Amino acid sequence: MDNKRELIFTATEKIIATKGIQGLSMQQIATEAGVAAGTIYRYFKDKEELISELRKHVLREVASNILVDCQEGDLEQRFKRIWFNIVEFGRQRTPANLSYEQYIHLPGIDSDPHQTYEKQTFQGLHMLFETGRVSGQFHNLQNKVLFAISLEPSMALGRSIRRGQIEYNRDELEIACDLCWKALLTTPESTQKELSGK
């Protein structure tokens, strides 16, 4: 990606993360990015387009971190890798990055085009849920419901660790991850292993 475009995204995200989106101006962004205000308009026609592209930029960044090797191994291994990737990503985010709460309140987040883009960007995650559902291992629930009961806890834990509210404890996280995995399963794990021939 063009370096100045990246600088503009980083500056915009930092301003929104620290000051909120109200009153966000192109001049503020230019100052934070260290570029001329006119430079921004070479990449984005207006603030609305910049925010729209920022939403996509944040999604790509998150997906590139949490979906690493998401197709490797069996279903449980894939899920647990994603779960821990989310915790690690969440605990390392800086105050200059948008939080999940700030991201979901960006204008246009619920628009059909953005929802379509989000689904495409996280296709690996949707495939995991689809595979589990089709095989009968996972409850027959919508992907967003499966995400809420199994992966949202990892987001909350990563955030709490980053804020110093809880200590990073790998043993405790392993237990929490296992509980989230079991929340997806239609039958006890012992039965799952018998069915898969383990």
Side-chain angles (χ1 to χ4, degrees):
M1 186 179 290
D2 184 286
N3 184 50
K4 286 187 178 176
R5 185 180 171 91
E6 184 72 30
L7 285 173
I8 292 166
F9 279 142
T10 301
T12 306
E13 186 174 2
K14 181 178 179 181
I15 292 168
I16 295 173
T18 55
K19 300 178 182 176
I21 197 166
Q22 289 74 22
L24 178 71
S25 70
M26 294 301 227
Q27 186 57 58
Q28 279 181 308
I29 296 167
T31 300
E32 183 65 42
V35 301
T39 301
I40 299 177
Y41 291 101
R42 285 171 33 203
Y43 297 92
F44 311 99
K45 66 179 181 181
D46 53 28
K47 188 165 67 173
E48 183 176 322
E49 183 178 81
L50 171 55
I51 296 299
S52 175
E53 291 302 312
L54 176 66
R55 291 195 309 265
K56 294 177 183 177
H57 174 72
V58 172
L59 282 182
R60 289 191 299 268
E61 182 188 7
V62 173
S64 69
N65 279 272
I66 73 171
L67 297 180
V68 176
D69 298 328
C70 70
Q71 301 300 326
E72 301 295 322
D74 62 26
L75 211 56
E76 181 176 357
Q77 291 169 329
R78 289 160 61 190
F79 169 81
K80 290 187 174 181
R81 185 178 301 115
I82 292 171
W83 195 95
F84 271 100
N85 285 345
I86 293 173
V87 171
E88 290 301 320
F89 184 63
R91 68 187 284 239
Q92 292 168 11
R93 300 278 280 176
T94 71
N97 297 130
L98 289 173
S99 69
Y100 176 66
E101 292 81 4
Q102 290 168 320
Y103 167 75
I104 62 174
H105 287 103
L106 287 177
I109 202 78
D110 295 319
S111 67
D112 288 341
H114 183 75
Q115 290 296 311
T116 299
Y117 186 83
E118 183 175 305
K119 188 169 184 178
Q120 292 169 346
T121 306
F122 288 92
Q123 189 62 33
L125 184 56
H126 288 286
M127 286 177 60
L128 177 99
F129 289 143
E130 292 292 340
T131 302
R133 201 165 36 235
V134 170
S135 67
Q137 288 179 264
F138 291 177
H139 292 288
N140 188 25
L141 300 169
Q142 298 174 63
N143 288 355
K144 285 188 180 292
V145 177
L146 294 176
F147 181 89
I149 65 174
S150 64
L151 291 173
E152 280 200 6
S154 62
M155 294 170 59
L157 287 166
R159 183 169 59 244
S160 293
I161 293 168
R162 184 182 77 242
R163 292 176 176 173
Q165 296 168 339
I166 60 174
E167 290 182 16
Y168 182 90
N169 182 309
R170 181 73 187 197
D171 291 338
E172 285 189 354
L173 290 173
E174 293 278 2
I175 294 170
C177 181
D178 196 52
L179 289 169
C180 289
W181 163 250
K182 289 175 180 175
L184 294 170
L185 303 180
T186 56
T187 57
E189 196 162 21
S190 57
T191 308
Q192 291 279 343
K193 289 180 178 178
E194 287 173 17
L195 291 173
S196 62
K198 289 185 178 179

